Amino acid sequence: MFDSLSEGLQSAFKSLSGKGKLTEGNMRDGLKIVEQSLLESDVSYSVVKEFMAHVSEKALGKRVLLSLRPHEELVRIVHEELIETLGPVDPSLHLKADRPTVLMLCGLQGSGKTTTCGKLTQMLREQQIEPLLVAADLQRPAAIEQLKIIGEQLGVPVHTETDHQDPVKVCQNGVDRARRDGNRVVILDTAGRLAIDEELMAQLKRIDKKVGPDQVYLVVDGMTGQDAVNSAGAFNDALELDGVVMTKLDGDARGGALLSVKQVTGVPIKFIGTGERFDALEPFRPEGMAGRILQMGDMVAAAREAHRIVDESERESLEEKMASGQFSLDDFKNLMQKVAQPGLMGRMMGMMPGMSQFKEALDSEEAGGQMKQIIGAINSMTPAERKNPKLIDAARRTRIAAGAGVQSSSITQLIKQFDTMKPIMQMMSGKGGGDRMAMLRQLQSGAMPGMGGGGAKIKQSTGKRLSPAEREKQRKEREKLKRKMKRKRR
Amino acid sequence: MAFWRSKTAPSQPESGETPPAEDQAGQGGMFTKFSSGLQKTRRVLGTDIRDLFKSEGRLVDEEFLDELFARLIRTDMGTGPANKIRDEVAKQYRGRVVQLEEVVATITTEIREQLRQDHGGLAKADSGPTVILVVGVNGSGKTTSIGKLANHLRSGGHSLVLGAGDTFRAAAVEQLTIWAGRIGCEIVTGKSGADPASVAFQCVDKAMETGADYAIIDTAGRLQTQSNLMQELQKIRKVIDKRLPGAPHEVLLVLDATAGQNAISQAKGFSAAAACTGIVLAKLDGSAKGGVVLPIHEQFQLPVKFVGLGEGLDDMAAFDPDSFAEALFQN
């Protein structure tokens, strides 16, 4: 279930199986792979070293060395250690009851401070709190304008002073205005600055001293590399940080910098930004982030997304149908329609462990068109055909194809896909977590029907059966590749 | 990964073969800028590869190599290239007591060689305006880089038109308009939410009409994983080509120097969608080294054309592999 890291570890430990016991020396090879994986995810070097010291201590204990699947055990240790380091969580803004709470956002240029301002506003609006936004970025051209527009879009007041050159004054005036107007929260949007820019860091200190924000959040770009320790350290030295917001985690960045920031600042990670829309701000979950850093996917996020699309009762009846094998083309169509929104399937696949490879295929417009075709084809079937696709003979196939405006081969294709899917769904819904993971793995290894092809032309991977000899050959090639990759990594 | 291309790594810097920097008149000043921008970086880090060596030389052992590896990793070059360099150093020097100049020279030479590129300057259209499309992820510094690039071209005596193609982010159009005003050049804008392709089209149109030398088109920040937005880039390209066949002549990917290994994915995604021709490495005036351009150059043959060194109009320099390679490790 643990993608690339696990694969690397497996190959590292593979050479030992059958040759005798796992030793400390062997384990060190495994630890080396973990270390490289963390470095690849942009955790800063010094932080990796410190982190690995903890992990090594645990990994070299008897329990791991004696366990049957040492690589899984090691991944588990790393995962747990990551969760522990990244936690504990504290998504509260600690609002004051008697006076306006002042939140200050700071960070490097382009880390996403102003957008985060909008997202925090949206979150507060959902709690019926109207914050006052203060445009304290007097550096970047049109930064004030940007915050103004965001304020308009969200219907909250924005304090701007175009004639002032001193952000300290602007912030003070903004807080005064909030007190007068009775806003419960003030959000200060400061200018982006380099941590080594002494002048601007001094300015930030002045704001901190004169305005005395209740909560100071460091906004960190999710794609940050090794420099995270330096910049976070400098901000932490200059200000008393209360929390961290990591942005731009809707892409494929592994976000290892968050571990660096956490290690350096020690303050809780509050939220993560997962999109451009104002509602794309999530409370931080160390489990999800740990999975992301280790490239294990985030099952919780995927499940949450799935829950959002299909409501509880529907889901239960669907699962029941799947488990009993009653799942019909009609249900298939319903499900398809739900997930046919552009980008949604791709997003979910991206969150599923090991499924990220399908993300691109599913995200494309082609896939969307394909889904429409499938829905159209099912619509052209009679209720009886939908319940029992076996009824569909050549004549019926021609009729359905004509009705849906596709070639009859597409109908054959669809039915084949459905046939392959059905037993998988049955197994997935009927079994426990472990078996589901095994199924997922099977899916990854190529049983995913019809992905990536365009519309009616999809011909490949319609459940091509391989002979045992072929399969063995493929397996050997895979192993070879793995060994090669391992060698490269050295 | 063939980061270490030359199998027989020369231990002496090939000073004789160092390519002359493609220097044009006035660029000497920019190199000075480059150095002064990087000066800040060094002051803060305070440490560099020389710290690994005592003046009398040091034994190259496992501990030495680990320290070296740490320094390499800190440049954001990634584990692949760092491992290669480490191995190479181990092969050449293990068990020996080395002088600092020796090892530094080797690494710097290798990196410089890696970054050696055919041409550092901007492509120029044979006739008509040269169209430059600027792409990148959110907050990488596209609009600021365009302002600086435009200023650079303008002060070189060229006429140009800017296209405010970021119709998505609030006030992005205003931001570029302010830059245009400061530089004193034409700008084509669309309404917020307008089709960026139409803005691009109009921008090229305007440049052709007015006989401008350059048209620089801004785009909204997007993540390389957002396939619909990446398709939008393809459309923008297509539309530009329709108006002026052969354009855009340059597609510049703006990378944040503080970015880590994800920049490789960015280079891959944007190259696939928009056929990038070069990189602008922004925000190199901070403590980040931007070493990720090494694997990017290696994997996608994308040359770095410019580096951003601050927020002012003049804070941009032509990329120079020599100073970049030196700056990674040296004082």
Side-chain angles (χ1 to χ4, degrees):
Chain A
M1 97 184 242
F2 305 140
D3 280 20
S4 53
L5 173 60
S6 179
E7 262 174 43
L9 289 175
Q10 224 166 337
S11 62
F13 289 137
K14 209 178 137 48
S15 51
L16 324 163
S17 51
K19 274 191 202 160
K21 241 173 69 179
L22 194 61
T23 65
E24 213 178 291
N26 299 327
M27 184 53 92
R28 297 233 176 253
D29 284 351
L31 289 169
K32 198 89 206 150
I33 290 179
V34 174
E35 187 181 303
Q36 300 265 325
S37 173
L38 290 173
L39 287 174
E40 278 300 303
S41 80
D42 289 326
V43 183
S44 298
Y45 187 84
S46 53
V47 177
V48 169
K49 279 287 165 201
E50 206 177 318
F51 181 82
M52 287 312 293
H54 290 281
V55 171
S56 309
E57 206 176 293
K58 291 188 183 168
L60 296 172
K62 267 219 180 75
R63 201 162 53 101
V64 180
L65 293 177
L66 290 177
S67 79
L68 285 172
R69 293 163 178 270
H71 68 278
E72 281 180 15
E73 191 68 22
L74 182 53
V75 173
R76 199 184 54 74
I77 290 173
V78 175
H79 193 234
E80 277 174 8
E81 189 70 26
L82 266 179
I83 291 173
E84 202 171 302
T85 316
L86 288 169
V89 291
D90 173 23
S92 163
L93 294 175
H94 299 282
L95 300 186
K96 306 278 181 238
D98 51 336
R99 60 181 175 83
T101 308
V102 182
L103 307 178
M104 177 161 99
L105 300 183
C106 59
L108 302 177
Q109 289 98 336
S111 56
K113 289 173 296 300
T114 309
T115 306
T116 304
C117 245
K119 289 179 178 179
L120 284 171
T121 303
Q122 164 86 10
M123 202 179 75
L124 288 163
R125 296 276 295 153
E126 277 164 20
Q127 301 166 33
Q128 268 74 48
I129 296 170
E130 187 184 88
L132 172 71
L133 307 182
V134 178
D137 181 355
L138 310 179
Q139 302 279 327
R140 182 162 58 89
I144 297 176
E145 198 62 30
Q146 187 184 353
L147 198 66
K148 253 191 200 163
I149 293 172
I150 288 174
E152 259 166 49
Q153 283 170 349
L154 292 166
V156 296
V158 180
H159 180 77
T160 60
E161 290 175 43
T162 34
D163 44 342
H164 253 303
Q165 280 311 299
D166 183 13
V168 183
K169 263 262 147 348
V170 176
C171 290
Q172 281 176 322
N173 292 343
V175 174
D176 286 345
R177 173 172 159 188
R179 243 177 241 134
R180 271 199 316 276
D181 296 357
N183 294 98
R184 279 197 60 198
V185 179
V186 187
I187 306 178
L188 311 178
D189 180 30
T190 66
R193 61 202 80 214
L194 291 169
I196 56 167
D197 189 328
E198 281 153 26
E199 199 183 313
L200 281 176
M201 288 307 277
Q203 181 194 68
L204 206 54
K205 268 189 233 178
R206 274 208 310 284
I207 299 177
D208 190 32
K209 211 169 127 201
K210 292 267 169 69
V211 183
D214 299 287
Q215 295 271 301
V216 181
Y217 296 154
L218 178 65
V219 181
V220 183
D221 188 327
M223 303 166 194
T224 311
Q226 296 289 321
D227 189 47
V229 271
N230 300 328
S231 55
F235 277 101
N236 194 45
D237 290 346
L239 306 164
E240 214 165 284
L241 295 178
D242 299 283
V244 172
V245 180
M246 182 163 259
T247 60
K248 305 182 204 172
L249 283 178
D250 44 332
D252 57 356
R254 286 167 68 184
L258 194 57
L259 191 67
S260 315
V261 175
K262 172 75 192 189
Q263 196 94 326
V264 171
T265 64
V267 296
I269 296 142
K270 294 276 180 180
F271 305 101
I272 56 169
T274 54
E276 291 187 326
R277 293 205 333 256
F278 290 128
D279 59 357
L281 187 73
E282 294 173 14
F284 173 68
R285 273 185 316 107
E287 298 81 10
M289 199 65 209
R292 186 184 185 109
I293 291 174
L294 297 177
Q295 284 190 311
M296 286 161 34
D298 183 355
M299 271 313 256
V300 180
R304 190 189 291 160
E305 193 73 26
H307 268 260
R308 251 187 20 156
I309 314 159
V310 187
D311 71 50
E312 195 65 18
S313 61
E314 248 179 306
R315 198 175 55 83
E316 267 174 29
S317 86
L318 263 178
E319 277 210 349
E320 219 168 87
K321 278 182 180 166
M322 283 185 200
S324 60
Q326 303 260 295
F327 191 70
S328 73
L329 274 166
D330 248 337
D331 301 311
F332 183 48
K333 188 189 86 182
N334 285 337
L335 203 60
M336 283 282 220
Q337 274 167 339
K338 284 226 163 59
V339 298
Q341 312 164 30
L344 187 103
M345 268 307 263
R347 210 158 70 235
M348 285 200 49
M349 283 299 172
M351 287 186 277
M352 302 263 260
M355 302 293 264
S356 48
Q357 54 200 354
F358 296 120
K359 189 170 149 48
E360 244 159 76
L362 280 163
D363 249 347
S364 66
E365 244 164 50
E366 270 173 38
Q370 210 178 317
M371 241 183 237
K372 267 193 211 132
Q373 272 193 359
I374 292 173
I375 292 167
I378 297 176
N379 278 337
S380 303
M381 296 176 188
T382 65
E385 286 164 350
R386 293 181 206 181
K387 257 210 181 86
N388 181 12
K390 290 207 170 60
L391 279 178
I392 300 171
D393 54 18
R396 284 179 189 250
R397 198 158 48 232
T398 316
R399 192 206 76 235
I400 295 165
V406 295
Q407 289 179 347
S408 62
S409 60
S410 315
I411 306 297
T412 321
Q413 190 84 40
L414 164 66
I415 293 162
K416 260 192 192 161
Q417 278 185 26
F418 182 70
D419 281 344
T420 342
M421 242 179 65
K422 213 168 150 181
I424 294 174
M425 285 192 153
Q426 198 168 348
M427 280 169 81
M428 294 252 303
S429 54
K431 289 187 174 165
D435 287 318
R436 278 189 215 199
M437 292 324 299
M439 288 306 303
L440 272 178
R441 218 188 256 163
Q442 199 171 317
L443 274 174
Q444 289 167 39
S445 60
M448 201 68 175
M451 283 317 161
K457 284 191 288 293
I458 33 164
K459 275 272 157 69
Q460 78 280 44
S461 70
T462 47
K464 183 180 177 239
R465 303 273 187 272
L466 295 172
S467 70
E470 278 174 309
R471 227 176 288 140
E472 181 62 16
K473 200 175 136 209
Q474 282 193 350
R475 192 186 64 80
K476 275 193 182 137
E477 266 163 22
R478 269 202 308 276
E479 298 293 347
K480 213 164 118 194
L481 199 72
K482 264 190 220 163
R483 278 200 299 277
K484 220 157 95 198
M485 279 174 65
K486 193 190 134 203
R487 268 204 302 278
K488 267 191 192 156
R489 229 172 305 203
R490 291 292 168 84
Chain B
M1 215 189 286
F3 173 80
W4 214 256
R5 278 236 179 85
S6 51
K7 283 214 171 112
T8 49
S11 54
Q12 294 298 319
E14 300 165 294
S15 46
E17 282 177 33
T18 305
E22 275 109 291
D23 216 355
Q24 294 146 22
Q27 271 198 348
M30 298 190 85
F31 290 131
T32 323
K33 183 95 210 165
F34 185 87
S35 313
S36 74
L38 292 166
Q39 204 67 47
K40 268 194 263 177
T41 309
R42 275 170 238 136
R43 201 175 58 229
V44 164
L45 290 181
T47 53
D48 73 315
I49 209 153
R50 291 172 203 234
D51 292 355
L52 300 183
F53 308 92
K54 308 285 181 288
S55 55
E56 68 275 13
R58 212 181 129 178
L59 181 70
V60 177
D61 54 8
E62 212 44 46
E63 191 194 340
F64 172 94
L65 291 170
D66 275 353
E67 270 178 60
L68 175 68
F69 181 72
R71 294 295 153 96
L72 295 170
I73 282 292
R74 282 189 191 128
T75 67
D76 275 318
M77 66 170 64
T79 56
N83 279 326
K84 294 264 184 195
I85 294 179
R86 184 199 141 112
D87 293 350
E88 190 67 23
V89 170
K91 204 174 91 194
Q92 288 194 35
Y93 301 104
R94 191 188 285 280
R96 284 172 57 191
V97 173
V98 292
Q99 286 296 325
L100 121 89
E101 285 78 13
E102 246 183 313
V103 174
V104 166
T106 311
I107 296 173
T108 310
T109 309
E110 287 300 330
I111 286 173
R112 193 168 48 209
E113 205 149 290
Q114 182 72 21
L115 290 173
R116 197 169 287 177
Q117 37 212 311
D118 325 315
H119 56 88
L122 284 173
K124 185 84 185 77
D126 297 334
S127 64
T130 301
V131 181
I132 304 169
L133 184 66
V134 180
V135 300
V137 297
N138 316 60
S140 59
K142 285 174 297 304
T143 309
T144 307
S145 295
I146 289 175
K148 293 190 278 194
L149 181 60
N151 186 56
H152 170 57
L153 293 170
R154 189 91 180 85
S155 51
H158 299 291
S159 58
L160 53 114
V161 180
L162 302 184
D166 183 355
T167 53
F168 180 82
R169 180 169 63 85
V173 174
E174 285 83 343
Q175 191 180 343
L176 197 65
T177 308
I178 293 173
W179 281 114
R182 284 185 194 170
I183 300 156
C185 65
E186 294 263 9
I187 181 166
V188 173
T189 59
K191 286 209 178 68
S192 168
D195 183 357
S198 83
V199 177
F201 186 90
Q202 285 166 32
C203 176
V204 178
D205 201 46
K206 180 102 181 184
M208 292 173 76
E209 220 170 76
T210 58
D213 300 324
Y214 289 93
I216 311 179
I217 300 161
D218 194 9
T219 59
R222 64 201 72 213
L223 299 182
Q224 67 277 16
T225 50
Q226 294 164 324
S227 49
N228 51 337
L229 291 179
M230 295 313 272
Q231 277 167 10
E232 187 184 89
L233 283 183
Q234 285 171 342
K235 182 182 166 193
I236 293 174
R237 266 197 75 106
K238 222 183 289 166
V239 166
I240 293 173
D241 181 62
K242 205 173 242 176
R243 183 66 190 87
L244 180 63
H249 309 91
E250 284 277 5
V251 180
L252 297 180
L253 171 64
V254 180
L255 289 182
D256 188 332
T258 60
Q261 299 307 298
N262 189 253
I264 298 173
S265 166
Q266 291 170 28
K268 188 177 174 200
F270 279 97
S271 289
C276 301
T277 55
I279 289 172
V280 177
L281 191 58
K283 309 182 203 172
L284 198 58
D285 51 331
S287 43
K289 300 274 195 175
V292 73
V293 298
L294 299 175
I296 288 175
H297 186 265
E298 148 81 30
Q299 286 175 39
F300 310 106
Q301 285 76 49
L302 266 183
V304 184
K305 302 220 165 176
F306 296 96
V307 293
L309 298 164
E311 282 182 298
L313 265 181
D314 305 320
D315 294 333
M316 179 178 262
F319 178 72
D320 167 38
D322 292 3
S323 8
F324 181 81
E326 301 273 316
L328 280 174
F329 308 111
Q330 294 194 4
N331 269 325

